[in-house]
C-alpha cells in the first residue's frame, strides 16, 4: 500500500510496556528537526530526546518507524542492532540521558502519521499530522504513550513558499529566499506525543483575536473564499466558547494561541491539538448547508475546545481512560451550545442524533464498558466510537443530574487544578467529585462506567394497571434508574399531556407501578421521556399505535425525540416494518420544525426503504417516499432549509423510471423555484443515477466541470463504482488495489462499490473480499484494513447464509489485528439486522 511499510499492528505498544517505561522515565524533552524538502515519499527526521531515568537496570526503548541512519546514546554511537524496525533500544544510565536518533521516515496517504496531499488542481503539496492514538513515532523517535508528557522544540525545514503552523508560534519569522525556509517553533508546554501537531503548505491565513488570545484560520487557497465567508461565525463561536469554558472551569485558557487548520483529506472530524486544532475540510462549507450543519460545526468547535482543559491540560494516563477526554468533551459541547452558539438547548438534538448510535453500539456483540480495559495501542483504536463518546456523554449528563450541577462543576474544577499539566485516571476524577457529593459514586462507576450493555425500559399493562419495567436481559444486569414518565390522552385527534412523574427503579426490584399518573390508563406512555437515563425505551403496543397515529400532536420535542428513537430501534429489532416507519416519518416527521430533526428522520426513512425494506416489494416504499417528497417540495418555501432537506432526500430515492429529474439536477437545472442546484446536489443526483443504472458516461464530466479538484474526483470515483454492471464493479475493485490512491480516494471507491439492490452483481465479490483480507494482513495499514473490512463486508448478496458461515470461520482463525476483527463482528451483526428487518417488512407487505 502507498505510504510506506507500516503493516497492520506491527508496532503496537502494550499497556504493560507503557507502565514499565513510565516507571523509569521522567522529565522528557524532545528537540525534533524535520526536513520536508527531500521529495514526495520520505522526509528527514532527527530527534534529540533528553530524559531522566530512575535506574540503569531496565531496557528502555524509543518508538520509531522509518530508516535509522545513526543512534547516539549519551555520546556513544549504538550498533545497527539497536534498531529492529520499530524500536530503538537504549542503554540508559541513572540520571539524565540524551539520545540522538537520525534517519528518514515515510509520508502517509491514510491520514495517520504525516499525511501528504497533492492538490490535483494546482499541484500544490500540503502535509499535516495526526498522531492519535499511536503514530507520533512514525514521524520522530519518541516515547509514544500519553503519560510521558514532554516539552518539544520543533524545527521544520520546508519549501520557502510554504506556511507552517504548530502548537506554538514560530520564534521569529523564517528567513525568506533560498531553497528552503527554517521554521523554529517556541517550546511547547508538557504535551503527550499524540497532541504534538503541525501542518505545512501554501496555506492562506485569516487572523483575529479574542481578548489576549490570538486566533487564526488556515485553509488551501482554493478554499479562501469559503474561509472568508465562514470566518466571522467561526471566530464568534471561538470567542464565546473561550469565555464559556474559562468561566465554567474557573481557569484561563492555558495555551498561547488558538489556531484552526482545515486540512485536506483529514481522517477525523477534528482533533484537539493544543493551540493548533485540525479540522476536516468538509466543515468549510463549499455548498449550501442547513442551519443544523452550522450547529453541528459549532458543536465540533466547542468539543475540541473542551479538550484544551479535558485531555490537553490534564491527560488520561492510558487509553482505557479515553472517556475522560471524549465523554467529557462530547457532553460539554452540548452544555456549551446555548452559551457559546446561536443554536440554543442541545440535549434534544443529542437525543435525536447521538443516542440512537450509542444504543446501537451497545447492542452489538462488540459492546464494551465506557472505561474499557485496553491491552495495547491497537485495541485503543476501537475505543474511538459511540460508546466512549456518546454513551459516555449521556451517563455524565445523568451523573451531573444525580449529584447536582453545582457539585459536578466543583468536582471538575478540583480535578483540573489537582492534576494541572499532568496525567490522571478514573480514581482521580472520582476522588475529586467525592469532595463535593455524598452520592454513591462507587455504585455509579460500577453500573455505568464499568458495565457494558444497555437496559430496556418498557411499560407493561395488565389488569393491575401500568408499570414501568426494567427488562431482565441476561447480558445486562439491572441498574439503578431514575426515570421520568410522560403520559398522554386523546382529546379528539390530539394527544394531551398529563403531569409527568419521576420514578425510581431500584434493583433487585425491577419495576415501579404508575399509580402516580392517576386516572384511567393513558393512551400513550413514554418512559424516560426526558432522555436523561441511558436506557432503551420500548413502547407498549397501545402507546406505539398512538405514536404512529398522532406523534406530531405531542408538544414536547424531547418526548418526541425519545419516541422517534424508540421507533427506529424497533425497525432494527425487526419489530416495526420499514414501510411503517417510513409512513410515520412522512405523516409526522415532516411536521418537525427543527430542520436537523427533519433531515435525520428523512435519512432514516430512506435507509429503511433502501436497506431494511423487503427486496421483493420494497420498491413500493421507495416510490411512496419519492412521491410524498415531491409533494412536500411543491409546498416548501423557495430557498428555505426545509426545501433543501426535502430535495436532498428526494434525490437519494428517485425511482429508476424517473432518471430525467436526476439528469436535470446533474446539469444544474433546478426543478424547484428558489432552490439553486449546487455541487453537492449535483453529486447526490449523479450517484443515484449511476446506482440505478442511468447512463452517466457524459454526466460525470459535466459534474466534474462544475466541481474540479479532489472533491470532484472522489465523488466521481464513487459514482463510477456505483454503476450496476460487472465491468464497472471490476474496474472499481481493480482501482482499489492499484495506483497511488490515498485512503480518502479508496474510501470513495468503496462507498460506490457496495450498494443495496445490487445483490446479484455483488455476489461474486464475496470470495474476493475474504481473499483480499487474507492477503492484506501484515502488509496494509490498519486504517485501510478497517475501512475495507467495514465498507465492503458482503451485506448485499444472494448468499447470505454462506457469508455468515465464512465470517465465523474467518473470525475463528483471527488472521488480522483485533481492531479489524471487531469491525467484521459488527458488520456480521448488521447483516443479521438487515435480514430480520427485511423479513419483518416482507411479512407486513402481505397484510
Ligand atoms: Zn474529542
Amino acid at each position: 500500500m502507498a505510504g510506506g511499510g507500516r503493516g497492520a499492528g506491527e508496532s503496537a505498544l502494550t499497556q504493560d510496556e507503557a507502565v514499565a517505561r513510565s516507571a523509569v522515565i521522567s522529565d522528557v524533552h524532545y528537540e525534533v528537526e524535520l526536513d520536508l524538502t527531500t521529495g514526495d515519499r520520505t522526509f528527514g527526521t532527527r530527534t534529540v530526546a533528553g530524559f531522566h531515568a530512575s535506574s540503569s537496570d531496565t531496557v528502555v526503548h524509543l518508538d520509531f518507524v522509518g530508516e535509522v541512519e545513526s543512534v547516539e546514546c549519551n555520546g556513544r554511537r549504538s550498533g545497527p542492532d539497536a534498531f529492529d524496525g520499530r524500536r530503538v533500544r537504549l542503554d540508559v544510565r541513572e540520571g539524565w540521558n540524551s539520545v540522538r536518533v537520525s534517519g528518514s521516515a515515510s509520508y502517509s496517504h491514510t491520514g495517520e502519521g504525516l499525511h501528504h496531499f497533492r492538490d490535483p488542481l494546482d499541484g500544490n503539496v500540503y502535509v499535516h499530522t495526526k498522531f492519535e492514538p499511536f503514530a507520533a513515532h512514525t514521524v520522530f523517535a519518541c516515547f509514544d504513550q500519553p503519560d510521558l508528557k514532554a516539552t518539544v522544540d520543533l524545527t521544520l525545514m520546508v519549501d520557502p513558499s510554504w506556511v507552517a503552523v504548530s502548537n506554538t508560534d514560530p520564534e521569529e519569522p523564517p528567513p525568506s529566499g533560498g531553497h528552503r525556509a527554517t521554521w523554529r517553533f517556541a517550546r511547547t508546554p508538557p504535551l503527550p506525543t499524540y497532541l504534538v501537531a503541525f501542518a505545512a503548505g501554501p496555506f492562506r491565513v485569516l487572523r483575529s483575536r479574542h481578548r489576549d488570545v490570538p486566533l487564526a484560520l488556515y485553509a488551501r487557497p482554493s478554499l479562501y473564499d469559503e474561509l472568508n465567508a465562514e470566518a466571522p461565525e467561526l471566530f464568534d463561536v471561538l470567542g464565546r466558547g473561550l469565555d464559556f469554558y474559562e468561566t465554567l472551569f474557573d481557569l484561563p485558557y492555558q495555551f498561547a494561541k488558538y489556531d484552526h487548520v482545515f486540512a485536506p483529506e483529514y481522517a477525523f472530524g477534528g482533533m484537539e491539538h493544543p493551540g493548533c486544532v485540525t479540522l476536516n475540510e468538509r466543515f468549510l462549507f463549499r455548498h449550501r448547508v442547513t442551519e443544523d450543519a452550522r450547529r453541528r460545526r459549532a458543536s465540533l468547535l466547542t468539543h475540541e475546545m473542551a479538550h484544551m482543559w479535558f485531555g490537553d491540560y490534564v491527560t488520561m494516563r492510558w487509553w482505557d481512560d479515553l472517556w475522560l477526554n471524549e465523554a467529557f468533551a462530547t457532553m460539554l459541547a452540548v452544555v456549551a451550545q446555548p452559551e457559546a452558539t446561536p443554536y440554543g438547548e442541545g440535549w434534544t438534538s443529542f437525543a435525536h442524533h447521538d443516542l440512537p448510535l450509542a444504543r446501537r453500539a451497545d447492542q452489538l456483540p462488540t459492546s464494551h464498558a465506557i472505561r474499557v480495559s485496553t491491552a495495547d495501542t491497537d485495541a485503543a483504536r476501537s475505543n474511538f466510537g459511540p460508546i466512549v463518546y456518546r454513551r459516555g456523554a449521556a451517563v455524565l449528563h445523568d451523573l451531573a443530574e444525580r449529584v447536582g450541577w453545582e457539585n459536578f462543576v466543583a468536582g471538575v474544577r478540583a480535578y483540573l487544578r489537582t492534576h494541572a499539566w499532568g496525567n490522571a485516571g478514573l480514581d482521580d476524577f472520582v476522588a475529586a467529585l467525592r469532595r463535593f457529593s455524598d452520592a454513591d459514586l462507587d455504585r455509579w462507576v460500577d453500573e455505568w462506567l464499568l458495565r457494558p450493555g444497555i437496559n430496556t425500559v418498557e411499560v407493561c399493562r395488565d389488569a393491575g394497571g401500568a408499570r414501568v419495567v426494567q427488562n431482565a436481559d441476561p447480558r445486562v444486569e439491572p441498574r439503578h434508574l431514575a426515570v421520568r414518565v410522560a403520559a398522554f390522552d386523546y382529546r379528539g385527534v390530539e394527544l394531551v399531556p398529563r403531569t409527568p412523574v419521576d420514578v425510581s427503579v431500584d434493583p433487585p426490584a425491577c419495576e415501579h407501578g404508575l399509580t402516580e399518573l392517576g386516572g384511567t390508563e393513558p393512551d400513550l406512555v413514554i418512559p424516560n421521556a426526558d432522555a436523561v437515563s441511558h436506557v432503551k425505551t420500548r413502547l407498549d403496543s397501545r402507546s406505539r399505535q398512538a405514536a404512529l397515529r398522532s406523534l406530531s400532536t405531542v408538544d414536547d420535542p424531547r418526548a418526541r425525540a425519545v419516541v422517534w428513537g424508540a421507533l427506529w430501534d424497533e425497525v432494527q429489532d425487526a419489530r416495526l416494518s420499514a414501510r411503517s416507519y417510513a409512513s410515520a416519518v412522512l405523516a409526522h416527521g415532516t411536521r418537525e420544525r427543527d430542520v436537523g430533526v427533519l433531515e435525520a428522520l428523512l435519512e432514516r426513512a430512506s435507509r429503511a426503504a433502501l436497506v431494511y425494506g423487503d427486496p421483493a416489494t420494497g420498491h413500493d416504499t421507495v416510490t411512496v417516499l419519492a412521491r410524498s417528497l415531491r409533494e412536500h417540495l411543491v409546498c416548501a418555501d423557495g430557498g428555505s432549509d426545509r426545501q433543501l432537506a426535502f430535495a436532498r432526500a428526494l434525490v437519494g430515492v428517485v425511482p429508476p423510471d424517473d432518471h430525467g429529474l436526476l439528469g436535470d439536477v446533474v446539469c444544474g437545472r433546478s426543478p424547484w423555484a428558489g432552490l439553486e442546484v449546487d455541487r453537492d446536489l449535483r453529486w447526490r443526483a449523479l450517484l443515484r443515477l449511476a446506482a440505478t443504472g442511468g447512463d452517466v458516461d457524459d454526466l460525470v464530466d459535466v459534474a466534474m466541470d462544475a466541481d474540479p479538484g479532489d472533491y470532484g474526483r472522489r465523488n466521481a470515483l464513487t459514482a463510477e463504482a456505483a454503476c450496476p454492471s460487472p465491468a464497472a464493479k471490476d474496474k472499481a475493485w481493480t482501482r482499489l488495489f492499484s495506483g497511488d490512491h490515498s485512503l480518502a480516494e479508496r474510501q470513495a471507491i468503496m462507498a460506490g462499490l457496495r450498494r443495496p439492490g445490487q445483490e446479484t452483481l455483488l455476489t461474486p465479490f464475496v470470495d474476493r473480499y475474504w481473499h483480499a483480507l487474507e492477503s492484506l494482513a501484515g502488509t496494509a495499514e490498519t486504517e485501510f484494513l478497517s475501512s475495507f473490512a467495514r465498507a465492503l463486508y458482503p451485506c448485499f448478496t444472494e448468499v447470505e447464509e454462506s457469508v455468515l458461515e465464512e465470517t465465523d470461520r474467518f473470525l475463528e482463525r483471527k488472521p488480522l489485528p483485533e481492531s479489524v476483527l471487531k469491525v467484521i463482528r459488527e458488520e456480521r451483526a448488521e447483516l443479521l439486522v438487515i435480514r430480520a428487518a427485511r423479513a419483518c417488512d416482507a411479512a407486513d407487505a402481505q397484510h
Side-chain angles (χ1 to χ4, degrees), residues 149-168:
K149 286 186 163 185
T151 51
V152 183
D153 294 337
L154 174 68
T155 300
L156 296 179
M157 283 167 282
V158 301
D159 184 289
S161 67
W162 284 14
V163 173
V165 53
S166 184
N167 304 99
T168 55

Side-chain angles (χ1 to χ4, degrees), residues 3 48 65 76 99 109 212 308 337 370 396 430 444 474 626 653 700:
V48 179
V65 171
R76 291 226 314 273
V99 180
H109 295 276
D212 56 340
M308 298 298 148
Q337 189 167 299
I370 292 170
L396 281 176
V430 173
W444 179 83
V653 293
V700 172

Side-chain angles (χ1 to χ4, degrees), residues 132 268 270-272 300 303-304 307 310 322 325-327 329-330 384 389:
E132 191 179 30
F268 284 179
M271 181 66 206
E272 67 267 24
L300 175 70
H303 172 112
E304 305 309 341
H307 279 307
F310 262 96
L322 183 66
N325 282 12
E326 300 303 348
T330 306
F384 293 85
Y389 284 65

Side-chain angles (χ1 to χ4, degrees), residues 746-757:
R746 290 193 164 93
Q747 284 168 332
I749 296 168
M750 293 190 282
L753 226 169
R754 190 190 74 174
R755 311 290 304 178

Side-chain angles (χ1 to χ4, degrees), residues 83-117:
F83 181 60
D84 68 0
R86 62 192 191 112
R87 289 170 178 194
V88 182
R89 203 185 64 244
L90 307 178
D91 297 318
V92 299
R93 63 190 178 203
E94 197 176 329
W96 187 251
N97 290 262
S98 177
V99 180
R100 180 185 300 264
V101 180
S102 302
S104 62
S106 297
Y107 289 109
S108 92
H109 295 276
T110 63
E112 190 153 309
L114 182 49
H115 184 84
H116 185 280
F117 170 82

Side-chain angles (χ1 to χ4, degrees), residues 830-845:
E830 177 62 14
L831 174 54
L832 293 176
V833 168
I834 292 171
R835 274 162 65 97
R838 286 179 167 188
C840 171
D841 194 52
D844 195 16

